[in-house]
Amino acid sequence: MKKYLLLIVIGLILLASSLALSQEDPLAYYKQAKINWRAFEGTQLTIGLNKHPFTESLRPLLPHFEELTGIKVAYVILPEEEFFEKLLIDLSSGGGIFDVYMTSPMFEWRYQYAGWIEDLNQFWNNPELTDQEWYDRDDFYEKPLRANMWDGTIGGGLGQGRWNAIPVMAEFFCQVYREDLREKWGLTVPTNYPDLLTTLTKAAEMGKKETPQVYGVANRGIKSWSTVHSGYFTAFSTYGQKDINPDLTAAINTPEAKGITQIWVDILQKAGPPGWPNYTWYDAKQNYAAGRFYEITDCDFFAATYENPAQSVVAGKNGYALPAAAPDGNITSNMWTWALGMSSFSKYKEAAWLFLLWATAPQTMLDGTLIHDNFNPTRKSVWENPAVIEKTMKWGTEPGQYRKIVDDMYAMYGDIRWTPNPDVTTVGDIWAEALHEAYEGKKPVEQALEDAAAKINEWMTKWKK
Amino acid sequence: MINPFGIKESFWSRRKAFLLFLPAFIITVGILVPFGYSVVMSFTDFNLTSGTSNFIGFGNYLKMTKDSEFWNSLKVTLLFTLGAVIFEVGIGFVAAYLLNLGLLGQKLWRTLFLLPVMLPPTVAAIMWKLMMAPIQGVFNYLLQLVGLPVSEWLGSSSTALISVILIDAYVFIPFVGMIFLAGIQNLPKEPYEAAAVDGVSSWFTFRKLTIPLLKPVILIVLLFRIMDCLKHFDIIYAATKGGPASATMTLSVQSYYQSFRWTNMGYSFAHLVVLWAIVYVLSYLLVEKWKKAVREVHGG
């Protein structure tokens, strides 16, 4: 009996040992690369991060990078507007606080022109620093990858020339609505903008009878380019409109532009959140997740929050639909992609490059997406990973509804709609003020857009050859 | 003889005046150099993005005279200053008067009254922004509870300016109140005793004794608050970013947009120089009035 007991104990010890040995080393994947990860051991990098779901997905993984490389990582996290302003101060002063920072094409155009962002091609093409085969750059979706490349041509040149940053997530703008309320109130999913106005107005009226009140549509509204960027620019470009003409004059005051802007302002006035001009995307997302809105016409990737019962009271109750179409059937969406770029003032550029490689590697992005909800991933292998498919397949009124929208956005509808120029965020700020003036009734839509166009023209003068 | 610094007295004596003056000199230079630099840069087209920095004379100032945004910012700055100062001085004075009455639990009231001034203004702005949120904010919840109409607070042009004035008042009324309280507690007793003997009304005493005797204190409070409100930035930017539209776009916020959002530094400096000139002129006038008031109260 004792002998059997001893055998069982020894067996259990051996089993435990073998299990421990077979536990996958979290760094094994990275060690496959022909990269000397320890080359800059002892360096400290400072990363500038926006308060964003991507940031929350990256933070828990940072110890892996530190263990892999011996490089210490410090980071600063700020809300979006404050983050960009702090970053601008650091870059314009040449302070070099940040070695790596979160960025996006709209900002890179200014940074590139001013000489504040490093061209990543030099590191990519250095075999001492990069194992191109292991990294597999072709795994990235083309749109977010090329959006972070620019040859410096004001008014064009996107996807060519310098490689400014590596995309870590992409977002598009679609309709997210409460399926339970849609059925209850007898509404349909709008397929064009006049219908969207009618539906959301009705939803706002029906919502008044609910306790607590349910509002019509959530959408960001603060005095910033970002207000223009989301649902509004999606509608605007769907109607075939542009921000800037090829001759670098404002294009926001065409009759068609005024028409769709009027519809958008009507939607906000009749069904939007009270106090819309002070509404941030944080407000829009949280209040929709709290069940206070029928629909939200903002980022698609907020779905990860909406469908998480720990963060949302509307999990499992949402429908996802493409943006409404123009009269000619055209559908487009604007695209935003958060990316990681390197400061030209960094004293540790090679170490910063290793961080960029690690942070955007397939395994890191998979862990960030699967475990920590970084959506939408910019690598095909991550989006098509069976576990990610299983996780996202349930989002929507029917299996795969959300996934199909993201697939269609990558394939057909989504792209950067802004015209490349260093002052694009200034153009956006001016434009946002026009939306405020129209929404507040201070000026008719036509006048607000004409006045904004005049200001934009004045601003763009210096870029004309 | 050796002085406490271990330097021979003869050497020390010759340089004592210079050494005593040195800290003030360093501070003055430290203030004047950046200020001078700002003035110089206001005559350029300095832009961080395009990298230009050409001398353009009074170009920025001429542009401002035709810029409707500048005139709007000036108007908003003056309205904000007027509203905030009236509010803060009025309520601060009443609060000081009440705190001087020796009410039950006076020490506790004074402590509670001082709490807001300990908050960083930005924190106060964010706190109030949350309370003023139209949907989930506690203010609208309370208004609904008592059957009053709700407000959009910071989210509407018609209420945003008064909302930021309220936040500013919340932070600075204690400061104003404490200065008034110190002034009230230092009032001479004799005139009041004489007034009591003559049997004059409290209102008469207040108008003819308290206000004239407190005039120097009132002017000091006005000086501090007017200067501060004219330059005001943090609360407004944290609460509204100058919006909706340009309803709360003061000169400071406009200058911030021009510089740290749009990299148009030369034009931004021109805004700040104009703002400095306004603050300087008003401060000078108030200081002169204060000197006169001090002479009236204390003689001389």
Side-chain angles (χ1 to χ4, degrees):
Chain A
M1 185 70 191
K2 278 185 182 175
K3 196 165 72 174
Y4 285 118
L5 200 62
L6 187 68
L7 280 171
I8 289 167
V9 170
I10 289 168
L12 283 171
I13 290 168
L14 286 171
L15 183 67
S17 307
S18 64
L19 278 172
L21 285 170
S22 68
Q23 278 291 320
E24 205 179 319
D25 173 9
L27 306 180
Y29 174 83
Y30 303 96
K31 288 170 182 171
Q32 296 166 17
K34 297 185 188 74
I35 295 170
N36 178 8
W37 291 106
R38 310 292 299 187
F40 308 102
E41 196 170 349
T43 307
Q44 172 155 319
L45 295 174
T46 304
I47 316 296
L49 297 166
N50 167 38
K51 186 173 168 52
H52 188 275
F54 164 73
T55 299
E56 296 313 308
S57 77
L58 183 72
R59 281 169 63 195
L61 304 176
L62 288 173
H64 293 175
F65 174 75
E66 292 181 326
E67 193 185 338
L68 176 70
T69 61
I71 296 168
K72 288 273 169 235
V73 178
Y75 54 80
V76 175
I77 301 172
L78 290 166
E80 189 166 299
E81 298 288 320
E82 290 76 10
F83 166 70
F84 280 125
E85 287 154 17
K86 167 91 175 167
L87 185 58
L88 179 68
I89 293 165
D90 177 51
L91 295 173
S92 62
S93 66
I97 294 170
F98 301 122
D99 298 286
V100 170
Y101 50 79
M102 269 172 87
T103 178
S104 197
M106 287 173 70
F107 286 83
E108 290 157 28
W109 300 332
R110 168 167 277 153
Y111 301 163
Q112 177 176 333
Y113 197 90
W116 299 337
I117 193 164
E118 206 66 5
D119 182 1
L120 301 180
N121 280 314
Q122 59 187 307
F123 304 101
W124 174 248
N125 294 319
N126 182 346
E128 296 289 309
L129 291 170
T130 310
D131 181 347
Q132 293 189 2
E133 193 182 345
W134 169 83
Y135 184 77
D136 190 12
R137 189 165 68 166
D138 294 340
D139 183 33
F140 282 94
Y141 282 99
E142 188 194 358
K143 283 176 179 174
L145 188 67
R146 67 185 286 278
N148 287 284
M149 297 173 180
W150 188 43
D151 69 2
T153 305
I154 294 170
L158 199 65
Q160 299 156 48
R162 287 173 49 120
W163 184 21
N164 286 315
I166 309 177
V168 291
M169 62 81 67
E171 59 196 57
F172 304 98
F173 304 95
C174 68
Q175 297 184 71
V176 184
Y177 58 92
R178 289 277 301 279
E179 174 64 9
D180 56 330
L181 294 178
R182 190 192 67 75
E183 283 183 2
K184 182 180 172 183
W185 296 343
L187 303 174
T188 54
V189 179
T191 53
N192 60 64
Y193 281 93
D195 275 359
L196 184 68
L197 171 60
T198 308
T199 303
L200 294 178
T201 305
K202 191 175 175 189
E205 284 164 10
M206 301 297 283
K208 284 177 186 166
K209 297 168 192 164
E210 300 286 324
T211 307
Q213 183 177 346
V214 175
Y215 295 85
V217 60
N219 190 266
R220 67 185 82 186
I222 56 165
K223 190 179 164 74
S224 165
W225 57 267
S226 70
T227 286
V228 173
H229 177 85
S230 64
Y232 170 66
F233 209 160
T234 289
F236 192 83
S237 63
T238 289
Y239 272 62
Q241 300 306 296
K242 290 287 294 172
D243 53 343
I244 302 285
N245 288 311
D247 65 354
L248 303 186
T249 55
I252 66 169
N253 53 343
T254 65
E256 296 81 4
K258 289 169 182 171
I260 183 59
T261 304
Q262 184 65 64
I263 294 173
W264 193 257
V265 168
D266 288 347
I267 287 171
L268 292 168
Q269 286 173 333
K270 291 174 180 170
W276 171 77
N278 214 29
Y279 226 61
T280 65
W281 67 258
Y282 300 103
D283 296 328
K285 182 177 81 150
Q286 296 307 335
N287 275 305
Y288 182 85
R292 303 306 304 270
F293 284 94
Y294 168 72
E295 176 158 333
I296 179 165
T297 51
D298 215 290
C299 304
D300 58 355
F301 82 99
F302 291 168
T305 300
Y306 306 150
E307 303 298 346
N308 180 348
Q311 298 179 35
S312 163
V313 301
V314 298
K317 298 176 182 174
N318 305 295
Y320 300 87
L322 286 169
D328 63 1
N330 183 45
I331 295 175
T332 68
S333 167
N334 200 1
M335 179 181 79
W336 173 268
T337 171
W338 278 109
L340 291 172
M342 189 193 302
S343 170
S344 293
F345 305 103
S346 170
K347 297 179 188 75
Y348 313 107
K349 291 191 173 82
E350 289 82 5
W353 173 247
L354 291 192
F355 178 83
L356 291 178
L357 283 181
W358 168 84
T360 58
Q363 186 63 50
T364 314
M365 197 175 285
L366 180 62
D367 290 345
T369 301
L370 204 52
I371 308 166
H372 304 292
D373 282 350
N374 173 40
F375 286 96
N376 299 311
T378 47
R379 281 181 173 273
K380 296 169 205 162
S381 63
V382 176
W383 182 239
E384 298 298 340
N385 180 281
V388 174
I389 291 175
E390 189 189 354
K391 183 173 183 168
T392 52
M393 205 67 185
K394 301 187 284 276
W395 298 354
T397 56
E398 57 195 44
Q401 188 182 54
Y402 176 78
R403 286 190 62 84
K404 184 168 186 334
I405 285 170
V406 176
D407 288 339
D408 287 349
M409 288 291 186
Y410 271 132
M412 290 179 283
Y413 305 122
D415 210 343
I416 295 264
R417 303 294 166 190
W418 295 95
T419 302
N421 79 84
D423 275 328
V424 68
T425 54
T426 307
V427 168
D429 281 350
I430 293 166
W431 197 352
E433 185 169 343
L435 292 183
H436 276 201
E437 287 168 337
Y439 170 84
E440 294 263 320
K442 289 181 172 299
K443 291 177 186 174
V445 163
E446 294 79 4
Q447 189 59 50
L449 289 178
E450 288 292 348
D451 291 351
K455 285 181 197 169
I456 290 166
N457 287 337
E458 189 184 338
W459 208 270
M460 292 300 293
T461 302
K462 65 175 173 290
W463 303 117
K464 293 178 185 177
K465 292 284 183 291
Chain B
M1 187 174 172
I2 305 295
N3 70 34
F5 295 93
I7 302 168
K8 280 184 184 173
E9 189 60 40
S10 56
F11 175 84
W12 169 244
S13 300
R14 282 202 302 272
R15 285 159 180 78
K16 187 160 51 175
F18 176 74
L19 286 170
L20 289 170
F21 160 75
L22 195 61
F25 177 76
I26 290 168
I27 290 165
T28 307
V29 168
I31 291 166
L32 287 178
V33 167
F35 175 74
Y37 178 78
S38 303
V39 174
V40 170
M41 294 317 287
S42 75
F43 294 103
T44 69
D45 64 354
F46 180 28
N47 186 299
L48 288 169
T49 304
S50 59
T52 55
S53 185
N54 305 304
F55 181 76
I56 55 168
F58 286 93
N60 287 324
Y61 295 95
L62 292 170
K63 185 180 169 187
M64 276 160 67
T65 61
K66 300 171 197 157
D67 186 350
S68 60
E69 285 180 17
F70 164 75
W71 291 111
N72 175 71
S73 299
L74 185 61
K75 184 183 84 177
V76 171
T77 303
L78 296 175
L79 281 173
F80 173 81
T81 303
L82 189 71
V85 169
I86 289 171
F87 217 85
E88 288 162 22
V89 170
I91 296 178
F93 191 88
V94 171
Y97 220 81
L98 291 172
L99 288 170
N100 193 51
L101 290 177
L103 300 168
L104 188 68
Q106 185 169 274
K107 277 188 179 176
L108 176 68
W109 291 124
R110 283 188 190 181
T111 307
L112 290 176
F113 182 65
L114 269 177
L115 283 178
V117 89
M118 297 172 192
L119 275 178
T122 309
V123 173
I126 293 166
M127 195 173 81
W128 275 68
K129 191 177 173 180
L130 286 170
M131 293 192 296
M132 287 173 165
I135 294 176
Q136 73 275 29
V138 70
F139 284 4
N140 278 356
Y141 172 76
L142 293 171
L143 287 172
Q144 277 176 314
L145 216 60
V146 294
L148 290 170
V150 296
S151 170
E152 293 189 344
W153 300 103
L154 298 161
S156 164
S157 288
S158 52
T159 51
L161 189 60
I162 189 69
S163 299
V164 290
I165 287 171
L166 280 175
I167 302 171
D168 192 71
Y170 165 80
V171 175
F172 289 103
I173 281 172
F175 168 78
V176 170
M178 282 298 130
I179 295 177
F180 278 138
L181 185 60
I184 289 167
Q185 288 177 335
N186 281 316
L187 289 173
K189 301 254 185 315
E190 296 82 0
Y192 289 89
E193 287 164 357
V197 169
D198 290 343
V200 298
S201 69
S202 305
W203 176 239
F204 184 87
T205 308
F206 178 75
R207 276 189 309 124
K208 297 294 181 183
L209 274 180
T210 306
I211 294 293
L213 288 170
L214 275 179
K215 203 173 171 186
V217 178
I218 294 168
L219 285 165
I220 279 291
V221 167
L222 285 174
L223 175 69
F224 277 127
R225 292 312 305 140
I226 287 172
M227 278 172 64
D228 200 31
C229 289
L230 286 170
K231 297 182 300 179
H232 206 74
F233 172 78
D234 44 13
I235 285 174
I236 295 174
Y237 195 75
T240 63
K241 292 205 158 27
S246 292
T248 57
M249 184 64 84
T250 59
L251 279 170
S252 290
V253 179
Q254 177 69 252
S255 171
Y256 186 85
Y257 263 86
Q258 293 287 347
S259 56
F260 294 121
R261 283 183 77 96
W262 301 345
T263 71
N264 200 13
M265 305 304 284
Y267 198 49
S268 170
F269 282 129
H271 277 74
L272 291 175
V273 170
V274 168
L275 182 58
W276 169 81
I278 294 166
V279 171
Y280 180 82
V281 168
L282 283 172
S283 305
Y284 178 82
L285 293 173
L286 280 165
V287 168
E288 288 303 306
K289 277 197 169 298
W290 173 77
K291 285 178 183 171
K292 190 180 165 202
V294 169
R295 282 197 299 272
E296 283 170 358
V297 172
H298 301 292

